[in-house]
Amino acid sequence: MAGLEHYKLAQDPAFVRLSNMTNNRYKYFRWTPRTAGITFAYMVAVPGILGYIAYKTDGKYDFRAKRRGDDMREY
């Protein structure tokens, strides 16, 4: 009984290919218009929009010490 490896399962070739592709993705990356657009959107556009919204609403809302019926807006 010792030495037999009954615990191993047969590996699915599709999962093995997916794992290899995921681990080696950086080797095959290319800058295309699509990848450049996605990178721009996530590194410039989204933080810029969130920063603009944060800047415009800075100090406008106060959630501390408010009671029911009080207005959250300061101005």
Side-chain angles (χ1 to χ4, degrees), residues 5-12:
E5 298 179 359
H6 293 293
Y7 60 88
K8 288 191 173 184
L9 296 174
Q11 293 182 342
D12 187 1

Side-chain angles (χ1 to χ4, degrees), residues 8-73:
K8 288 191 173 184
L9 296 174
Q11 293 182 342
D12 187 1
F15 287 137
V16 173
R17 281 196 312 269
L18 177 66
S19 175
N20 290 336
M21 180 190 69
T22 304
N23 291 336
N24 298 319
R25 183 171 296 180
Y26 69 96
K27 295 178 184 176
Y28 305 106
F29 178 78
R30 285 189 190 155
W31 284 105
T32 62
R34 181 177 184 266
T35 57
I38 291 171
T39 302
F40 176 79
Y42 282 111
M43 294 184 73
V44 176
V46 171
I49 292 169
L50 292 175
Y52 176 76
I53 292 170
Y55 179 75
K56 293 304 276 184
T57 60
D58 186 31
K60 189 171 186 177
Y61 300 102
D62 186 20
F63 295 106
R64 299 185 77 194
K66 296 294 180 181
R67 295 188 177 166
R68 186 178 298 158
D70 289 346
D71 197 16
M72 288 188 315
R73 288 176 280 165

